[in-house]
Amino acid sequence: PYPSFLRSESSASTVQRGFTAVGAGNLTVRNLAVKATTPGAGSGSANENGARFEAAENVSVTGLSVEGFDYAVRVKGLYMSEINGFEVKRYRTGLYVTDTTYCAFRNGDISIKGPNTTQDNGHNGVLIDATGSGLTDMLTLEDVMVADAGATGFRLGGQNPIDGVDHVRCRAVRAGSNGFKTLGGTLESGSVHRRVRYLNCSSVDVGLGGGTNTYGIAVHLTNDVYIADFTATSSSSTGVSCRTGVDVAGAKRVIVRDAQVYRPEVAAISIREALGDVSDVTIAGGFFSTNNGAHAFLIDWRWRTFRRITVTGAPVCEHYGAGFL
């Protein structure tokens, strides 16, 4: 029986931690709220992990609330477990997952970035990583919403390959750079992620802060990617939803099915040479509304080899003004 509310108190110069479970088996946590008392989360704060689950299996968490921590929910080495119904406020990274397999994270709400957190590259709503090959795989993110991430809403990153991550009905709102991003290691390392899916996900007003490497979904150095029913929209008066809806670079076997991208600044779908050769990309159906010089499709292979790039399924391209199909 754990307390329904846990307040972490210390001076601003002392690291604060909330609830920690290490080496646990068959653990059940219900309706736990953890709140830091020193103001802010992120750069300059002294708040570390709000709720940490490490080297554990068969963990079931329902009803978790974390507020004011750098890494609100920290998961490392978790196996066959589920966190369902979690809320994060004032965060630097809302959910940080490494070296974890066969786990699900469902019904999450991550919002209000910490007042000490600026738009830096490390500030993500959800960050999934691995410290070695094969240590992170078979994960599900379902019905998770991220708002106001300084960099990326949902990110798969790092130097080691990740295999098998599903995003189901996830939503990124006002992300500073990307709504969703899957990025393998480097061209030199040859490390790529595999089997990543985005099913009925959406982005709203992402990557509009002035940067150029920003997308609704960035598929970089990742193979076997399936995107179905992705929507990029805007809630602002300008109607601009993103710089580019879906961007593919250095990837193989990518399918984008029935995407809907409204008013991008650059392109609805782009396939670029920046990260190596590209092959077997299919754009199937969809609706793309563009204007002011933006393109429905932007395919750029000046320095690379592209093979089998297919547009099929009668996509609808509604275009106004300058620009190209």
Side-chain angles (χ1 to χ4, degrees):
Y2 291 104
S4 60
F5 184 80
L6 175 66
R7 180 184 294 271
S8 180
E9 298 191 27
S10 65
S11 67
S13 61
T14 303
V15 172
Q16 292 194 106
R17 296 184 179 93
F19 175 83
T20 300
V22 177
N26 303 309
L27 171 68
T28 299
V29 178
R30 296 285 183 267
N31 302 321
L32 174 67
V34 185
K35 182 177 181 179
T37 56
T38 45
S43 178
S45 79
N47 306 336
E48 196 176 54
N49 302 149
R52 184 181 183 100
F53 303 91
E54 181 176 353
E57 61 180 79
N58 295 320
V59 173
S60 175
V61 181
T62 302
L64 174 65
S65 175
V66 180
E67 181 175 348
F69 285 86
D70 286 359
Y71 302 101
V73 181
R74 180 70 172 99
V75 174
K76 183 177 182 181
L78 205 61
Y79 176 72
M80 292 293 290
S81 300
E82 179 175 316
I83 297 179
N84 189 359
F86 60 96
E87 180 183 62
V88 170
K89 293 186 181 299
R90 292 195 298 121
Y91 68 95
R92 182 177 185 272
T93 296
L95 172 64
Y96 184 12
V97 180
T98 55
D99 305 345
T100 291
T101 61
Y102 294 100
C103 289
F105 307 90
R106 296 188 169 95
N107 301 302
D109 188 315
I110 300 171
S111 63
I112 311 176
K113 66 177 182 179
N116 293 330
T117 299
T118 58
Q119 289 192 352
D120 61 273
N121 291 330
H123 172 202
N124 303 281
V126 176
L127 174 60
I128 298 177
D129 210 338
T131 62
S133 180
L135 295 181
T136 296
D137 62 10
M138 303 305 293
L139 304 182
T140 298
L141 295 160
E142 185 174 313
D143 295 306
V144 178
M145 190 277 290
V146 172
D148 301 312
T152 297
F154 298 77
R155 176 169 179 170
L156 276 65
Q159 299 300 307
N160 297 293
I162 296 169
D163 188 349
V165 179
D166 286 353
H167 304 72
V168 183
R169 294 183 302 275
C170 291
R171 191 166 186 243
V173 180
R174 296 182 303 276
S177 59
N178 304 280
F180 303 83
K181 184 173 186 177
T182 171
L183 174 62
T186 61
L187 283 175
E188 292 75 17
S189 70
S191 172
V192 297
H193 300 326
R194 291 188 60 243
R195 295 190 300 162
V196 179
R197 299 197 301 174
Y198 300 94
L199 309 178
N200 199 20
C201 294
S202 61
S203 69
V204 181
D205 300 325
V206 301
L208 301 177
T212 58
N213 188 26
T214 61
Y215 312 96
I217 299 181
V219 180
H220 295 170
L221 294 175
T222 304
N223 297 335
D224 304 297
V225 178
Y226 183 64
I227 301 170
D229 300 300
F230 169 69
T231 304
T233 59
S234 173
S235 63
S236 70
S237 59
T238 67
V240 176
S241 63
C242 57
R243 280 185 55 81
T244 296
V246 178
D247 183 73
V248 179
K252 300 177 182 177
R253 298 180 298 279
V254 178
I255 297 174
V256 182
R257 185 177 300 280
D258 295 325
Q260 298 181 52
V261 180
Y262 297 87
R263 299 280 302 274
E265 288 184 339
V266 177
I269 307 290
S270 60
I271 305 172
R272 297 180 304 110
E273 46 77 32
L275 294 171
D277 298 345
V278 176
S279 68
D280 300 288
V281 177
T282 300
I283 312 301
F287 177 84
F288 310 111
S289 179
T290 56
N291 69 346
N292 293 335
H295 314 299
F297 304 107
L298 175 59
I299 304 176
D300 180 1
W301 66 95
R302 289 171 295 176
W303 313 112
R304 305 292 181 185
T305 300
F306 283 13
R307 293 183 173 91
R308 294 179 295 279
I309 310 300
T310 304
V311 178
T312 186
V316 176
C317 303
E318 188 177 79
H319 183 75
Y320 306 93
F324 300 90
L325 174 62

